[in-house]
Amino acid sequence: MSIILARWQLVLLVVVVTTLTALGVSLVLPKRYLASASVVVDAKPDPVSALIYPGMASPAYMNTQVDVIASDRVALRVVRDLRLTELPELREQWQAQGAEGSMEQWVATFLQANMEVKPSKESNVLTVNYRSPSAQVAAQMANAFVKAYIATTLDLRVEPARQYAGYFDQQAKAALDRLEQARTKLSAYEREHGILASDERLDVENARLNELSSQLVALSSLATESRSRSGQAARGGDQLPDVLANPVVSQLKADVSRAEANLQQLSTRYGDNHPQVIEAKASVADTRAKLNAEIRRVTGSVAVTSTINSQREAETRAQLEAQRAKVIKLKEARDEASGLMREVESAQRAYENITTRLTQTSLESQSTQSNVNLLAEATPPLKPASPRVALNTALAFVAGLVLAIGLALLLELRDRKVRDADDVMAVLPLPMLGVLPAPGKRAQALPSAERRLLGAPGAASRGAA
């Protein structure tokens, strides 16, 4: 503080010069206006695909959107939308600078230098700021960047969807061709084998096979019984059930019994040579011959029936084998037809899935709504954003004060002077007896520390150092 008080004029001069210089520069600098427009990135599901894009609300996604706004594509779109290359003053500046590249790129770079994007820390809001010497131009450019960004985000979604739609269109045509080929192959197989790719005919043939099996079982039992009866008839037909149950045989047996009884009576009465006895014997022989003929007829019918039943059994067995072979062939054909049907169904599912994706991507390619919406349009600012005269002046005052103090200390280090009694005691290793008063001032008592050093506490010193 002693140094500052000793050089207060220099300190005051530096502070005043610095402050006035900053004030003058701030007043001389051209005014620049700042316009702001904001957009919100919607995190709702996509209306077409009903999907939420992963990481949409993450900082990385928002930083990506900041990079998109600051990209050359958005800036070039602003140049084309506003037709800035047609402005004569910009063309003259571009020609005067002799910049490399196209005028569009030069104007886009100029716009990017004056545009700034600020993402919100805890929301999906992006703020686009644009600085310009004109308030109207600043608002127009901020709104133009926002509109170009929204259109660019829509293009970034629509262009891949269009490419996918073209790809899925080709795949759908190929899948339809495969489906038609599978159907044609199945139809040709059905026509060739005379079947349908269903179990209806196979059920009918299975039922017929089961029926033949039942018939064969019944005929086998009947043929076995017939063979048994035929064998019995060959051994002796009198005891056959058919013979015993035959009414003609029973009647003839009764006639034979009566004729034999009559013959016995006549033989007993008249003897063997009597005409009546001879006639009775002839009658008995004739009746017995008829009985034997009838028995042979009945036993013969049993043999014929056995032969017929055996033939029927053989025919039914052959039919059963043929039907079994037919069913096996039908099953093989059905299995092969089922494989062809599975190919048709697989081709059908693939075609349906591809057409579903084609429809979805076609809708996405025709979308006119982006997931970025305008939150607030930029309006022409009423006050310039720079230069800030009051802030610049205050900062210049603080900086001048720091500079002045530093300059005073630097000068003091180069030209060291004794400012008070402490400096004397620090420079000279001798006790100080007193302090001479300044001209026109009364003497002052020594501080207590100095009195202790002198060994005279409480005494006022009036001597010279």
Side-chain angles (χ1 to χ4, degrees), residues 46 73 422:
D46 185 78
R73 181 170 179 172
D422 292 335

Side-chain angles (χ1 to χ4, degrees), residues 4-19:
I4 293 174
L5 291 176
R7 300 181 183 275
W8 66 271
Q9 294 178 347
L10 175 63
V11 172
L12 180 61
L13 178 62
V14 173
V15 171
V16 170
V17 171
T18 304
T19 304

Side-chain angles (χ1 to χ4, degrees), residues 33-47:
Y33 293 87
L34 177 66
S36 300
S38 58
V39 294
V40 59
V41 180
D42 194 359
K44 293 181 180 179
D46 185 78

